[in-house]
């Protein structure tokens, strides 16, 4: 029988035909399972029917994935409605998971929306202008490009000297893809910056709240991971965390 660690991966509520389904895009699961060398279970975002406290003790860690939906602005103190689509049940399950995983000292990793979610769950805020022109980098590909080109829209991030990512990569910078309209506004207390874009936007952070390993990135290491050793490194760090080695 396999003794590999088990990773919980949060699901989204998305329409499939005429019905709402719990979904995880395969590339998140396959990249994690292959390069973290773990088994995986999908955590449904159905907070009215279950609570994260019921399951986190059975998991070795949790991954919060990217998704097309945005976090509702009210969760980080904004009064305006913002721009959807939204997934309020995922927002609620995400908050439960962050609290529960930290409470039981399990690893917590985030990608894209997951990166934004953890910051919000711990008291930070978001900005919604990362595709603006002027002094800001265009953090999202222009309208009209195909799906592959959208995920191949790239820029450089500088790694913080002595940080977890700089040590893991043995480098001072990375070239990453950039597929997000939102980003960190105010970084939550207790989070340590691991990488910034050249316009200053935080692109990765780490922490050890209650002793729990936490690492999140704004970019998409799950995209074409088989062809990108740098992306594989992120999931190998996840694998180490699941085994208590990080």
């Amino acid at each position: 029988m396999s003794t590999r660690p088990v990773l919980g991966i949060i699901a989204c509520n998305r329409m499939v035909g005429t019905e709402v389904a719990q979904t995880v895009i395969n590339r998140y699961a396959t990249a994690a399972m292959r390069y973290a060398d773990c088994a995986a279970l999908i955590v449904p975002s159905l907070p009215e029917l279950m609570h994260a406290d019921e399951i986190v003790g059975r998991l070795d860690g949790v991954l919060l994935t990217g998704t097309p939906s945005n976090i509702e602005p009210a969760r980080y103190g904004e009064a305006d409605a913002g721009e959807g689509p939204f997934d309020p049940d995922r927002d609620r399950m995400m908050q439960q998971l962050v609290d529960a995983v930290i409470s039981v000292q399990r690893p917590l990793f985030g990608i894209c929306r997951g990166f934004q979610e953890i910051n919000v769950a711990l008291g930070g805020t978001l900005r919604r202008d990362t595709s603006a022109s002027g002094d800001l980098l265009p953090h999202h590909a222009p309208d009209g490009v195909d799906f592959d080109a959208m995920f191949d829209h790239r820029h450089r991030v500088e790694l913080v000297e002595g940080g977890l990512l700089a040590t893991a990569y043995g480098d001072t910078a990375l070239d990453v893809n950039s597929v997000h309209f939102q980003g960190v506004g105010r970084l939550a207390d207790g989070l340590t910056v691991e990488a910034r874009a050249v316009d200053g936007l935080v692109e990765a952070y780490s922490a050890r709240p209650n002793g729990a390993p936490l690492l999140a990135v704004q970019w998409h290491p799950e995209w074409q991971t088989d062809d990108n050793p740098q992306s594989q490194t992120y999931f190998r760090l996840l694998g180490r965390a699941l085994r208590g080695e990080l």
Side-chain angles (χ1 to χ4, degrees):
M1 181 179 293
S2 172
T3 58
R4 294 194 300 170
V6 178
L7 176 69
I9 304 177
I10 195 171
C12 302
N13 293 281
R14 299 180 69 176
M15 294 299 298
V16 176
T18 59
E19 298 183 86
V20 180
Q22 297 296 304
T23 63
V24 172
I25 300 299
N26 269 10
R27 65 177 183 269
Y28 291 98
T30 57
M33 295 169 77
R34 182 170 293 131
Y35 294 104
D37 189 20
C38 64
L41 291 174
I42 295 174
V43 179
S45 288
L46 296 171
E48 292 185 359
L49 298 174
M50 63 174 279
H51 195 284
D53 287 339
E54 298 178 87
I55 61 167
V56 293
R58 310 178 197 188
L59 303 172
D60 295 295
V62 166
L63 173 65
L64 303 180
T65 66
T67 179
S69 67
N70 290 325
I71 303 167
E72 291 189 309
R75 287 204 163 263
Y76 48 94
E78 295 287 340
D80 64 278
E83 295 185 11
F86 299 117
D87 187 346
D89 280 345
R90 168 160 169 164
D91 289 349
R92 291 169 59 196
M93 182 55 68
M94 169 278 297
Q95 184 71 61
Q96 290 182 18
L97 280 170
V98 171
D99 293 342
V101 167
I102 291 173
S103 177
V104 298
Q105 299 178 304
R106 299 289 197 274
L108 177 62
F109 276 53
I111 294 172
C112 195
R113 189 195 210 263
F115 164 91
Q116 297 168 13
E117 286 175 325
I118 295 169
N119 183 56
V120 169
L122 297 180
T125 65
L126 300 182
R127 56 191 289 177
R128 303 197 295 273
D129 61 352
T130 65
S131 288
S133 57
D135 295 333
L136 297 172
L137 281 176
H139 286 268
H140 195 284
D143 293 340
V145 302
D146 63 23
F147 193 75
D148 285 359
M150 181 175 69
F151 274 88
D152 283 336
H153 180 69
R154 311 183 74 82
H155 64 71
R156 180 183 177 92
V157 296
E158 304 290 337
L159 303 181
V160 174
E161 183 178 0
L164 180 61
L165 289 182
T167 301
Y169 287 108
D171 210 337
T172 60
L174 297 176
D175 183 49
V176 302
N177 52 17
S178 190
V179 195
H180 59 104
F181 291 105
Q182 302 191 141
V184 165
R186 181 178 58 79
L187 193 65
D189 293 343
L191 298 180
T192 299
V193 176
E194 291 281 341
R196 290 186 185 272
V198 296
D199 62 1
L201 190 68
V202 176
E203 295 266 351
Y205 56 72
S206 65
R208 294 194 73 90
N210 195 34
L214 186 160
L215 179 63
V217 298
Q218 179 64 82
W219 61 88
H220 285 268
E222 90 292 346
W223 176 254
Q224 298 181 347
T225 312
D226 293 344
D227 300 323
N228 191 327
Q230 288 185 340
S231 293
Q232 295 166 23
T233 295
Y234 178 80
F235 290 103
R236 291 196 173 102
L237 286 170
L238 171 58
R240 288 176 56 198
L242 295 175
R243 291 168 172 82
E245 300 169 357
L246 191 65

